[in-house]
Amino acid sequence: MTYVIVSLSLYVLFMALFAYLGYKKTKNSNDYLLAGKDINPIVMALSYGATFISTSAIVGFGGAAGQYGMGLLWLTVLNLIVGVFIAFVVFGKRTRELGHRLGTATMPELFARRFDCKFMQGYAGLLIFIFMPIYNAAVLKGIVDYISKFLSVDFNTTLIVISILAALFVVTGGLKGVMYADAFQGTVMFVGMAFLIFYTYSMLGGIVNANTALTRLTGMPGVAEQTAALTKIGFSGWTSMPKAGSPLWFNIVTTLVAGVGIGALAQPQLSVKFMTVKSGRELNRAMLSGGIFILFMTGVAFTVGALANVAFYNATGQIALKAAGSNDGIIPVFIKTFLPQWFGGFFLILLMAAAISTANGLLHTMGTALGRDFLKQSLNLKTRTVTLTRISMVIGLVISVALAYFSNKLDVSMAIIAIGTSMFYGLCAAAFLPTYIAALYFKTFPRRAALTSMVTGSAISLFWMFFVQEKTAGSLQVCRLLFNTTSIVKNTFLQTLSMVDALVVALPLSMIAAIIAWAVFGNERITEIPVAPSLAD
Amino acid sequence: MFGIPDPSIWLAYLFIIGGAILCVVYGIANWNKDDKSDIGGEEK
């Protein structure tokens, strides 16, 4: 307990210091929204990584690796190649360049100025503001669940304390405070995860010995009985991919790997980070630390999650899922049981850092989505951007806290976290990715084609999540209320579709809609809206 | 490879290390490069 109290006090102290520094260095909305556009590349990389990786990636998806095996490592491959390399080289540099040239502070504003369409900014801003609280609630719930269990305190009290902390840091400090705090939190996360992988592999006799033991585990006495339910849905060992076409294969490949892996490209809270650096050179430099950071986040979480099975089996004769009691318990119980006591306290801070850094990034984006994109730019309110953004952040936080509170009543624990995360990632990719690519790469792409793609992508994605994909539709309850089923294709010849993630369907259709609309409306050279003085208000 | 017999897993294992190395090498090789795109215009 002493370790926890000391670690927590130091954490809050450092965070308060960074919020204060951010507050002191924020002179105008350019500082508040884009951190003055001169952020150090390492700070930018750590901020990008810490916002990208939340409790969900470490505990939720790490637990999924403990249950389903190392197939989850393909998500790390996509995190690195798509979420870092392609995101920085293909999207980041042009986003920064175009964003600075057009004087934009958010992703919806980039679309609006590039295509000279204010409706686009309002639509994208509202879409983000309405659905981002689901993701934010998932992030909050993850850390609150963990802390309330670890310290044996009430869920609701912890939720309120954590939310107030997150709000204080982001509302006062703006993006400057957020990015300084992210760099500190990113460092904590990196150190903790690096220790975790080295300790785990050395405890199990080295890389080859540990992996070999995990491979052999499926043939050990009592294991087949414990994995019987999983084997029925396609599981074939922790170091093998599930049977192709099985429900487990669909879950891993389309939802966990493709959904989150590709979805990262069109995340408004991540793309804004590209606009905070001075030149493309900073992004090249940032990639170095960004790549190593992500490797040590999801790469470590998924590897340790799977290897936990060997440790638990050697100690108790049970696989990780049985020993920990639930999917989301695998990583925390593994750490509590097999790692030094002091690390338990440190890991709590690590998770808190992962959650608060993501929640801060989301709160900032929710604030700008409603405050700047919708109220200021779309509805032309005269109030200052910073004031509108601050008020919107508070509204976004209240909605997120309410959702986290109600999701706790549903008693579906980490399932909500994984679902909330992949839902938002999928929605953003389907709604924004084709328009984002067009904005950055096609000078004559018509405005109406961009709008067609955005509306088609978001509509199909939402329809799929609410009515077709059983995992999401079952949790969101709307399909059950209207049609008394968890998926409208259940028990029909289209049943396989209920296992497919929305992104796999909505993103290609959104792209096709963009191409058809381009062919119909023809090339159009749009006069971009010049830099607006409003960024400096 | 790495004590993992299934190529679809050890390939992922290999790619995550390769992906991280790719990011590091790219970062070092382009440390001082500020390549501008053809989207044109003056930055503000």
Side-chain angles (χ1 to χ4, degrees), chain A residues 32-53:
Chain A
Y32 193 81
L33 299 173
L34 288 176
K37 295 196 266 192
D38 61 351
I39 283 287
N40 175 288
I42 296 180
V43 174
M44 184 270 162
L46 286 172
S47 176
Y48 182 91
T51 308
F52 192 176
I53 304 301

Side-chain angles (χ1 to χ4, degrees), chain A residues 70 74 118 129 163 245 251 257 270 277 404 410 485 516 531 535:
Chain A
M70 285 188 171
W74 283 104
K118 281 211 166 188
F129 185 78
S163 311
N251 186 27
V257 175
L270 296 181
V277 292
L410 285 174
T485 173
I516 293 174
V531 174
L535 192 61

Side-chain angles (χ1 to χ4, degrees), chain B residues 23-41:
Chain B
C23 292
V24 171
V25 170
Y26 186 93
I28 294 170
N30 296 284
W31 192 257
N32 280 317
K33 227 184 237 176
D34 180 14
D35 32 13
K36 296 247 176 189
S37 70
D38 61 349
I39 45 181

Side-chain angles (χ1 to χ4, degrees), chain A residues 178-202:
Chain A
V178 166
M179 292 188 79
Y180 290 147
D182 282 354
F184 160 67
Q185 298 185 103
T187 310
V188 170
M189 291 160 71
F190 181 80
V191 171
M193 295 305 274
F195 179 82
L196 182 60
I197 191 72
F198 288 121
Y199 192 91
T200 306
Y201 265 132
S202 59

Side-chain angles (χ1 to χ4, degrees), chain A residues 317-385:
Chain A
Q318 287 184 308
I319 61 167
L321 184 68
K322 302 285 175 192
S326 67
N327 174 315
D328 59 303
I330 292 176
I331 296 278
V333 176
F334 171 76
I335 284 164
K336 209 173 174 179
T337 316
F338 298 103
L339 274 96
Q341 208 189 348
W342 65 266
F343 189 75
F346 188 85
F347 193 71
L348 182 96
I349 304 305
L350 185 155
L351 287 186
M352 197 137 144
I356 300 262
S357 55
T358 306
N360 277 355
L362 299 183
L363 273 179
H364 181 85
T365 308
M366 277 190 273
T368 54
L370 182 69
R372 184 175 175 86
D373 295 326
F374 187 69
L375 298 175
K376 179 86 181 179
Q377 299 291 338
S378 221
L379 299 185
N380 285 321
L381 288 195
K382 298 290 172 223
T383 320
R384 288 178 72 232
T385 296

